[in-house]
Amino acid sequence: MAKKTRRTRDTAESVAETVAGGLAELRPDRERPRAWTLLIDGAPQSYVDLEDPAHLSFAYQRRIGHAADLVMPQDRPPQVVHLGGGAFTLARYIAASRPRATQQIVESDAALVQLVRRELPLDPNARIRVRSADARAGLAKLPDGWADLLIADVFDGARTPAHLTSAEFLADVRRVLRPDGCYAANLADGPPLAHLRGQIATAATVFPHLALAADPAVLRGRRFGNAVLLGSARELPVTELTRRVATDPHPGRVEHGRALADFTGGAAPVTDAKAKASPAPPPGTFD
């Protein structure tokens, strides 16, 4: 295991360490004194500002943040599950905005969890539990109807593992959610968007209400990028979500209803028997 770090009062240098998923690097942001980007084998995974955990740098994380703000219950502390931990960015965000929230993170890479805990420690007052386990295995151990919000942001390198793309997986997500709970998934795809369309079709077998938020260029199949898929048994707050996504520093678009069904284009749902990992990003995506 290799590590290098050097800090002074005013400067910080990258921390690099081998974890199960590859070479993890925590790279400091020179513009924000206590902010860091987590990369795995060169692919950006998370961004954390320890002084301002409500600051979300990545566009897809802001879109999930907008959704979380809108769907979490306001009359009681929310209960949130995170499949995939990264640097715990979204858990920190929710803890900052909803300090009484109870959150569970399931992250398979125990070495990554140790690195993040050591270098980017969580607020000791935050009610966040981190479990080192495969996302689907960890999900299976959660009780029925526990979560108000379940966020799936799981990547092996830069690809979502196949067993987290199926209808069977989403059926277990639905089991863990409260009747009015919401599912939010970070998906990555590029032209011809076959993976993204298949994931929407798969979610439609479990959730009657769906919405998709992404950069317009991604939705048009012009480039590889992230899309946030929301699913719920109740109507989603698409009007306010659309407004927030459209006025973001990197404006996006929200599709739902008939437009989203048309976008899916008759794609077939994915089952365990035919599931595949999400496509690898093309060379140069993260340069």
Side-chain angles (χ1 to χ4, degrees), residues 1 34 37 46 51 71 78 82 87 92 101 139 142 165 172 184 194 205:
M1 181 177 289
R34 297 191 68 210
T37 299
S46 299
E51 289 188 351
V71 304
H82 303 261
R92 298 174 200 265
L139 178 68
L142 293 172
T165 67
D172 211 26
T205 67

Side-chain angles (χ1 to χ4, degrees), residues 28 54 74 126 153 159 204 232 234 258 264:
Q74 300 301 314
D153 187 9
R159 305 180 71 183
S232 182
R234 65 178 171 104
R258 173 53 59 186
T264 306

